[in-house]
Amino acid sequence: MKVFGSSGTRGVVGEEFTPEFVSRVAAAAAATWDAERVALGRDTRTSGRTFADAAAAGITAAGVDVERLGVVPTPSLVRYCEVEAVPGVMITASHNPPEFNGVKLVGDDGVELPVNRLEVIEERLLAENTTTVAWDRIGASRRVADANDDYVAEMLDTVDRDAIADANPTVALDPGHGAGALTSPEFFRELGCDVVTVNAQPDGHFPGRDPEPVEKNLADLKRLVRAADADVGIAHDGDADRAVFVDEDGDYVEGDASLAALAAHHLGEGDTTVAAVNVSQRLVDVCEAAGANLELTPIGSTNIITRIKELWREGESVPVAGEGNGGVFFPDYRLVRDGAFIAAKFLELLAERDASVSEVVAPYEDYTNVRENLTYESDAELTAMLEAAAAYAEAADADPDTKDGYRLDYGDAWVLVRPSGTEPKVRVYAESADPERARALATEAREALEDAKAGVEA
């Protein structure tokens, strides 16, 4: 697809991402959906209101009513769509830097649209076949004020509040100035946690840290955990569909390790889990120990969701799935990544085990992950790097998996090269139990791509 990537469509505000473009996307979606109304939400980005206005204009111009939820986490919008049986538009760039914004589309079943439905909308968009109705058929707009309250209330009714409250954990929370700042502090306090916060003011400039909850951005949370003697640190991204953890000593927990711990807790023999092609060996080990099956997809929530639904139709049980970036699905609850719910399930695990974070993730810390990003400024540079990746994979002493880029498994290690679905970057991933081996594999692949890119520039 040219417009929609691994998780909606995103771009730099004022460049490829403009109000006119967003209005066209929303109008194409509204004209494609057989719906009388569409839910609309946004995260805290400074450009969010402008793009929400543009989306509302596109929806109503297509003759469809719009219900404006305001600033909400993506899982809050998803819940509203499922409960109200309406499709939805979410204005968010998730973990991308502040200068980005984006659009996610959600079906009336409360699930992000699968690839085949996005293709239909994209075809209408690119053909400029959107529908603008006559003046007397323009849709109406109304404000919905309680979506976040209902979202929090439902989670409170779903998780094991008593177990968490009995453990009485101190939680250090970093919503990263994103939409989770409006919901997660209240949620964890209602669970019986003592909550201390940092970067908890909704602010689309993201003054405390960038939206992506990776280790380099979580220095404030680490310090808060140590200062407050907290039991766990929890961080979200801009739309709060991820949860990343810091242990009781203020040390960062790899997302692959927390995913493995949650999977080990929820998977049983004969179950199936779904992950992307950058899956860690940690999850492979968990599946082997549990007697569970592992299905791999291209990277991105849309692809994982699509495969889970296919497995359901085949009668498979999929109690947990996700990626090592903090985006974990608990499909029996709802088919969405939900940062607050993920964190609550992690708190349940800590309470049930009567263990610390470091103890729970200790069995899954024997691997080192390396990720490097190479930016590009033209299609020629991207093409050169992808051709270099193909040549690198062909020359390697391993059979490549080409579901999404090129993944090479060496038994003791793996490396993956793929273009980002959300940013103008080519990503290089590597993992091994030997840190030097992981770094060497990532460096070798990166240098091959850099040489190819330099050839274009010359």
Side-chain angles (χ1 to χ4, degrees):
M1 291 187 292
K2 295 180 179 179
V3 175
F4 295 105
S6 59
S7 186
T9 181
R10 300 176 194 169
V12 176
V13 173
E15 296 180 9
E16 67 271 27
F17 201 84
T18 64
E20 187 270 341
F21 170 73
V22 170
S23 182
R24 288 175 53 228
V25 169
T32 302
W33 286 322
D34 182 19
E36 296 180 354
R37 53 197 180 106
V38 170
L40 173 64
R42 63 182 176 93
D43 68 17
T44 60
R45 291 168 190 270
T46 57
S47 60
R49 186 182 297 276
T50 294
F51 288 116
D53 289 345
I59 293 165
T60 54
V64 178
D65 294 346
V66 64
E67 300 183 341
R68 303 190 61 159
L69 277 58
V71 176
V72 293
T74 289
S76 178
L77 173 86
V78 165
R79 178 205 166 272
Y80 185 88
C81 289
E82 180 184 346
V83 171
E84 296 293 324
V86 297
V89 175
M90 182 70 187
I91 305 298
T92 179
S94 188
H95 65 277
N96 286 63
E99 64 269 24
F100 282 78
N101 216 323
V103 178
K104 291 182 181 180
L105 300 177
V106 180
D108 59 9
D109 56 353
V111 179
E112 287 184 45
L113 293 189
V115 171
N116 63 331
R117 294 184 65 191
L118 288 173
E119 288 174 340
V120 174
I121 293 171
E122 181 169 305
E123 182 178 352
R124 177 186 287 271
L125 174 68
L126 296 178
E128 299 187 355
N129 287 338
T130 54
T131 301
T132 301
V133 299
W135 67 271
D136 57 346
R137 293 175 54 210
I138 293 290
S141 177
R142 77 177 183 93
R143 176 84 170 90
V144 176
D146 55 1
N148 282 339
D149 292 339
D150 293 342
Y151 159 67
V152 169
E154 183 182 84
M155 284 194 296
L156 289 171
D157 286 341
T158 304
V159 301
D160 192 344
R161 297 176 66 177
D162 291 339
I164 295 171
D166 288 345
N168 189 31
T170 298
V171 169
L173 176 65
D174 179 357
H177 302 293
L182 299 179
T183 52
S184 284
E186 173 194 356
F187 173 58
F188 292 114
R189 290 188 177 107
E190 289 293 326
L191 285 177
C193 306
D194 292 328
V195 180
V196 291
T197 62
V198 65
N199 302 321
Q201 306 79 23
D203 189 332
H205 293 93
F206 302 100
R209 68 165 173 88
D210 270 2
E212 188 170 18
V214 292
E215 184 172 12
K216 69 177 183 179
N217 293 335
L218 299 183
D220 288 344
L221 180 59
K222 291 179 177 181
R223 284 192 290 268
L224 180 60
V225 167
R226 297 183 186 112
D229 194 24
D231 297 293
V232 61
I234 300 168
H236 296 318
D237 59 337
D239 65 336
D241 67 353
R242 300 189 193 181
V244 171
F245 302 101
V246 169
D247 74 14
E248 71 280 1
D249 298 318
D251 294 327
Y252 177 76
V253 175
E254 291 283 351
D256 287 306
S258 55
L259 170 60
L262 287 166
H265 188 61
H266 290 277
L267 285 175
E269 187 169 357
D271 287 337
T272 300
T273 188
V274 182
V277 292
N278 60 342
V279 64
S280 170
Q281 186 65 31
R282 299 168 175 90
L283 187 58
V284 176
D285 294 343
V286 165
C287 290
E288 289 178 352
N293 304 307
L294 174 61
E295 294 273 343
L296 298 185
T297 74
I299 289 174
S301 60
T302 298
N303 298 307
I304 292 177
I305 287 169
T306 298
R307 186 59 185 141
I308 291 172
K309 293 177 79 172
E310 290 171 350
L311 289 166
W312 277 347
R313 287 194 290 270
E314 296 167 10
E316 298 290 330
S317 168
V318 189
V320 64
E323 297 175 281
N325 58 9
V328 182
F329 293 88
F330 291 93
D332 293 338
Y333 166 62
R334 179 164 287 120
L335 195 49
V336 66
R337 301 183 303 186
D338 186 334
F341 190 79
I342 296 163
K345 300 303 285 184
F346 196 71
L347 291 174
E348 285 183 1
L349 172 58
L350 298 177
E352 183 173 324
R353 291 273 303 275
D354 190 22
S356 66
V357 174
S358 61
E359 290 170 335
V360 164
V361 300
Y364 314 108
E365 293 194 319
D366 291 337
Y367 290 89
T368 296
N369 293 85
V370 178
R371 188 177 88 169
E372 301 197 28
N373 297 313
L374 292 89
T375 60
Y376 59 87
E377 297 181 357
S378 68
D379 289 342
E381 289 181 354
L382 172 61
T383 298
M385 286 195 287
L386 294 182
E387 288 177 350
Y392 175 81
E394 184 176 351
D397 186 22
D399 292 329
D401 183 323
T402 57
K403 287 187 182 72
D404 186 1
Y406 300 89
R407 176 178 167 124
L408 302 168
D409 281 292
Y410 294 95
D412 66 324
W414 59 265
V415 62
L416 169 69
V417 180
R418 66 175 289 274
S420 169
T422 59
E423 298 178 84
K425 296 178 180 179
V426 176
R427 304 195 192 278
V428 177
Y429 307 80
E431 181 185 71
S432 175
D434 178 354
E436 291 303 317
R437 172 80 161 138
R439 284 189 283 269
L441 282 172
T443 298
E444 184 178 47
R446 173 177 53 78
E447 289 178 347
L449 271 61
E450 285 177 336
D451 289 345
K453 178 183 172 185
V456 173
E457 294 170 343

